[in-house]
Amino acid sequence: MERIQARRERLKRNVVKEQVDGFLVASPINVRYLTGFTGDSSILLVGPDREILISDGRFTTQIEQECPGLERHIRPTGVETPSEIARVVQGLGWHCLAFEATNLTVAELQAFSMAMPTIEMRGVSGWVETLRRVKDDQEIEAIRTSVRIAERAFAILRSGLRVEETERDVADFLETALRRCGATSSSFPTIVAVGQRAALPHARPTHTRLDRDTFVLVDWGASGEPYKSDLTRIIATGKFTSKFEEIYRTVLTAQERAIAAIHPGALACDIDAEARSVIDAAGFGGFFDHGLGHGIGMEIHEGPRIRKGSPDVLEPGNVVTVEPGIYLPGWGGIRIEDDVLVTDDGCEVLSRLPKGIDSVAID
Ligand code: ZN
Ligand code: ZN
């Protein structure tokens, strides 16, 4: 509980610095991060010396169990959330309230403003997300678990893969295997793309069959409680061409070079540039048109962002994906993705699935 309390303490520094009376947290993920509460439809108010979770009667027991010691306020049935929040905020004597500009809808903001006409609402962004970038030991363990689950599920898939199967069959199988291996769900809809279709970085699985002597891009991850993993591997179904080998080796080298450059203090955009320079030098510069990676955690895409122009600086405790790719329209695409922890003196690749060119083909 203390580590969760410590997150709210860090948040209070922003409240003081921004000279507001309190901060209204509406995003369920951020509420969970700051309280341990796993329900939804609840609002957390954080002031310099008061923290109150405002919820409804469905969650009374759950909050007692999940957030011992946290002040809670249960909204009576029949009272709308904005008016109840207004009552609590006015009771606290607050005049100026910061809110998450990126997590509140226009309609919600209007409802809050109407319920609290005398309170100044000030939109801020990234307060909780910035804290979430740096994972503590328990969060890192949870991500490690999600990586292991994803790896086990993939190994099961790979050992039983048949060329008669379709992209949809493979995706369904993998998602079931993830849950059997201990995931609560897959961390995003699994991408399975055969041959030419792999030129679409976010291809949705179709009824296309795998077939022999082609390759399949599989991008998948496990969601645990609730930390996520995100991996991509290529499976060749039999023989592959020299062009495939050239592109695969280029992507792998780009990924290895980028990983080798990861350390605390490194600029995220420089890590992206490291991978990009390998792909450019091989003549595929125009065919890698997404960022190199992103943070993972309670959400599948979070900070830091590893891409061109990213202002982010890597810190120990960041967990990021490194996923260069080359996508040639009409031919296909190759991407290799691993999850990497920034450590005090460099980095640790959390995922261990083989990825050398000789590991790609199945019989
Ligand atoms: Zn991915
Ligand atoms: Zn990713």
Side-chain angles (χ1 to χ4, degrees):
M1 242 30 237
E2 275 163 31
R3 66 194 187 100
I4 291 180
Q5 170 78 52
R7 295 170 184 170
R8 298 199 296 269
E9 293 303 324
R10 262 175 257 141
L11 200 57
K12 288 180 189 175
R13 291 181 210 154
N14 291 358
V15 172
V16 173
K17 215 167 85 191
E18 191 73 14
Q19 297 182 310
V20 291
D21 297 313
F23 179 42
L24 182 152
V25 188
S27 138
I29 292 222
N30 286 344
V31 170
R32 179 168 184 172
Y33 178 77
L34 294 167
T35 65
F37 172 59
T38 59
D40 51 30
S41 317
S42 303
I43 297 275
L44 177 69
L45 294 176
V46 180
D49 40 39
R50 284 291 281 279
E51 305 149 3
I52 307 174
L53 183 58
I54 302 171
S55 191
D56 60 70
R58 291 172 297 166
F59 295 119
T60 310
T61 310
Q62 193 176 330
I63 293 171
E64 272 169 25
Q65 289 168 349
E66 293 179 340
C67 324
L70 178 65
E71 186 178 351
R72 63 173 191 277
H73 178 94
I74 301 298
R75 168 171 61 88
T77 34
V79 181
E80 295 292 330
T81 303
S83 7
E84 193 60 15
I85 289 168
R87 224 163 59 83
V88 175
V89 168
Q90 272 146 9
L92 291 165
W94 290 358
H95 303 288
C96 181
L97 195 56
F99 67 93
E100 304 180 275
T102 46
N103 290 323
L104 216 59
T105 65
V106 174
E108 284 166 337
L109 178 61
Q110 279 170 349
F112 286 135
S113 302
M114 271 168 65
M116 304 183 266
T118 60
I119 307 282
E120 183 197 333
M121 298 285 289
R122 192 180 303 168
V124 297
S125 60
W127 283 12
V128 187
E129 288 77 5
T130 303
L131 299 179
R132 279 173 41 199
R133 281 186 199 183
V134 178
K135 274 75 183 173
D136 63 32
D137 291 347
Q138 282 189 41
E139 293 180 287
I140 292 166
E141 270 322 298
I143 295 173
R144 278 184 206 280
T145 302
S146 287
V147 169
R148 291 288 94 81
I149 291 171
E151 291 181 329
R152 278 203 296 276
F154 185 75
I156 296 169
L157 169 82
R158 212 176 173 283
S159 66
L161 198 67
R162 289 173 303 112
V163 294
E164 297 77 32
E165 286 172 309
T166 67
E167 294 173 344
R168 290 272 289 270
D169 296 334
V170 174
D172 289 348
F173 184 95
L174 189 51
E175 292 187 1
T176 305
L178 284 168
R179 284 190 292 274
R180 291 216 172 126
C181 291
T184 43
S185 63
S186 67
S187 48
F188 54 89
T190 301
I191 296 169
V192 178
V194 177
Q196 285 188 22
R197 292 191 28 80
L200 309 168
H202 271 194
R204 290 252 169 277
T206 65
H207 294 291
T208 308
R209 282 181 199 286
L210 265 51
D211 227 337
R212 277 180 206 293
D213 300 332
T214 183
F215 61 91
V216 194
L217 181 152
V218 184
D219 187 345
W220 81 107
S223 186
E225 273 301 335
Y227 289 84
K228 301 182 191 324
S229 56
D230 183 7
L231 302 172
T232 304
R233 284 292 184 272
I234 304 290
I235 302 171
T237 60
K239 290 195 280 292
F240 50 77
T241 63
S242 57
K243 184 171 184 179
F244 172 91
E245 185 167 347
E246 181 198 0
I247 294 173
Y248 189 91
R249 285 186 190 277
T250 304
V251 173
L252 185 55
T253 305
Q255 197 215 29
E256 287 168 345
R257 284 267 297 274
I259 291 171
I262 292 179
H263 61 86
L267 282 173
C269 59
D270 287 347
I271 308 301
D272 179 278
E274 195 68 31
R276 224 162 274 284
S277 70
V278 173
I279 291 175
D280 284 351
F284 297 109
F287 303 101
F288 171 29
D289 49 9
H290 57 73
L292 180 68
H294 51 87
I296 53 169
M298 296 173 86
E299 286 181 291
I300 193 62
H301 292 117
E302 43 181 75
R305 311 279 165 177
I306 306 189
R307 60 185 177 208
K308 254 185 214 170
S310 169
D312 297 343
V313 179
L314 299 183
E315 296 173 80
N318 291 158
V319 181
V320 296
T321 68
V322 180
E323 47 180 310
I326 295 174
Y327 311 92
L328 302 180
W331 179 81
I334 304 282
R335 175 167 69 252
I336 303 170
E337 178 178 24
D338 284 291
D339 300 336
V340 179
L341 167 69
V342 182
T343 59
D344 289 331
D345 53 1
C347 71
E348 179 192 343
V349 183
L350 300 178
S351 36
R352 297 178 199 148
L353 284 174
K355 56 186 170 186
I357 186 78
D358 38 350
S359 74
V360 169
I362 50 163
D363 313 321

